[in-house]
Amino acid sequence: MGRENIYQSLEVFYEKIDTCPLRDRQFNFFEMVYVISGNGSYSTNGNKVDFRSGDLFLTTPNDCHEFDLYGICEFIVVRFGENYIREYQWKSIDHIECLLYYASDLSGSVLANHQDKQMVHILMGQLGQTIEHDNIYNQDLIRHLVNAIIVIAARNISVVKPKNISPNADVRIMQILDYIQEHIRNPERLKIAVIADLFGLSPTYLGSYFRKQCGETIQHYISSYRIRLIEHRLQFSDKRVHEIADEFGFSDESHVNKFFKRHTGMSLKSFRMKETKQSFAD
């Protein structure tokens, strides 16, 4: 399998093609592909779905994807590396973590909200016009447009349902999932008794209800979600271990290390060193 690299923090380009130019490639960057026109199928990490105009796909570093095109298709492709994430002063880092947390588990378009689809359609149109004409301040405008699209994608990804959630999941379970994501840094607010009381359930019933709706225990879901966010802090920020411990409500470095090692088999420092070596190897 070949590897595809980028040499700038941000690359944006338009394609009109009838054959996918890159197949069986693993990327070391984030890539958003917006379908302007045409249809076909899209495969990522072994999962295959059909695509059509208006779809937006996101792949993360180390993903492998390719397109099978049914005739001529038009795309806008946006590529950005880890440095782009680190350098931009996001108002809320959670937007980026949503991308990092869920994107590798998705197989379809990240756009679920109809209004957001319309907004991205307009922004991509503006982005296409901007890259077509070499005008003054183009680079600044491109970055503003790209950042707006990233935030919209993050907003849609953040409400993606867990993989094993029941197809008939009710409104209340989605509200519980939203509550967990919102308060993931506050362990006191994620106690089973607190969540149960807030949603008018008994602690015992909450456990069985969550498992039935989501296919896993609520404790496992909370722990897995917290672990993934901590992993992304280690990968995509320069925060020290004691800062991460404080951010996620652990009493000290020892506490967060025990929690992390119990779930991953390694310390936070070891995980960060492994990821750093992998980045250099790539």
Side-chain angles (χ1 to χ4, degrees):
M1 180 184 297
R3 292 191 66 83
E4 190 73 10
N5 302 307
I6 59 172
Y7 303 98
Q8 302 179 50
S9 63
L10 176 66
E11 295 180 0
V12 182
F13 55 92
Y14 163 84
E15 285 186 326
K16 185 175 183 179
I17 51 178
D18 59 8
T19 303
C20 180
L22 298 175
R23 305 186 71 87
D24 196 27
R25 294 292 183 96
Q26 192 173 47
F27 293 3
N28 74 339
F29 48 83
F30 297 95
E31 179 177 87
M32 291 192 297
V33 178
Y34 180 73
V35 184
I36 301 173
S37 66
N39 57 75
S41 64
Y42 168 77
S43 302
T44 178
N45 301 328
N47 297 316
K48 188 174 183 178
V49 296
D50 291 334
F51 72 80
R52 59 184 179 181
S53 175
D55 283 343
L56 178 67
F57 298 99
L58 171 72
T59 53
T60 61
N62 297 320
D63 282 345
C64 179
H65 78 251
E66 61 187 29
F67 287 83
D68 288 313
L69 312 182
Y70 306 156
I72 296 176
C73 298
E74 295 179 282
F75 304 97
I76 287 183
V77 180
V78 179
R79 295 174 169 179
F80 52 96
E82 294 178 9
N83 287 338
Y84 188 84
I85 297 297
R86 291 173 177 166
E87 291 170 0
Y88 188 79
Q89 297 299 309
W90 304 93
K91 292 294 184 183
S92 172
I93 192 66
D94 288 336
H95 288 305
I96 306 308
E97 285 181 341
C98 288
L99 294 174
L100 299 174
Y101 180 79
Y102 284 115
S104 62
D105 297 326
L106 300 179
S107 56
S109 173
V110 302
L111 296 178
N113 181 279
H114 178 68
Q115 291 181 331
D116 283 348
K117 285 183 180 180
Q118 294 179 321
M119 195 179 304
V120 168
H121 174 73
I122 294 170
L123 289 168
M124 284 294 185
Q126 295 296 318
L127 188 57
Q129 292 181 26
T130 303
I131 62 176
E132 182 179 0
H133 303 288
D134 187 18
N135 293 327
I136 189 171
Y137 305 138
N138 258 22
Q139 290 304 310
D140 290 292
L141 182 55
I142 287 172
R143 285 177 176 266
H144 282 298
L145 291 168
V146 166
N147 291 340
I149 294 166
I150 289 175
V151 171
I152 293 171
R155 181 165 66 189
N156 281 256
I157 293 170
S158 69
V159 296
V160 170
K161 300 174 182 177
K163 286 188 289 187
N164 296 322
I165 195 168
S166 166
N168 299 317
D170 57 33
V171 173
R172 182 161 54 183
I173 196 65
M174 299 309 298
Q175 292 172 338
I176 292 173
L177 292 171
D178 288 343
Y179 175 85
I180 292 171
Q181 292 184 22
E182 181 181 355
H183 300 289
I184 194 65
R185 293 169 182 79
N186 189 339
E188 291 298 315
R189 302 191 70 169
L190 293 183
K191 291 182 176 180
I192 303 304
V194 174
I195 299 175
D197 182 65
L198 183 65
F199 288 93
L201 305 171
S202 73
T204 302
Y205 181 73
L206 172 62
S208 60
Y209 168 71
F210 192 95
R211 181 190 284 273
K212 181 179 180 181
Q213 293 283 324
C214 298
E216 61 183 311
T217 68
I218 188 170
Q219 293 93 338
H220 182 268
Y221 177 81
I222 292 171
S223 295
S224 298
Y225 187 51
R226 184 179 283 126
I227 284 292
R228 290 296 294 271
L229 294 182
I230 292 173
E231 287 178 344
H232 299 144
R233 278 289 185 263
L234 296 169
Q235 289 177 271
F236 298 97
S237 82
D238 297 322
K239 284 195 170 187
R240 298 179 179 180
V241 173
H242 74 86
E243 293 176 312
I244 295 174
D246 183 65
E247 179 184 2
F248 287 93
F250 293 94
S251 57
D252 52 35
E253 290 186 31
S254 176
H255 188 194
V256 69
N257 261 312
K258 286 179 181 178
F259 170 78
F260 192 80
K261 192 168 186 177
R262 185 167 68 249
H263 289 277
T264 67
M266 65 179 71
S267 67
L268 277 75
K269 182 178 180 181
S270 297
F271 180 87
R272 177 170 268 169
M273 289 176 63
K274 181 177 75 73
E275 293 299 318
T276 300
K277 288 180 181 178
Q278 181 63 46
S279 295
F280 280 120
D282 294 340

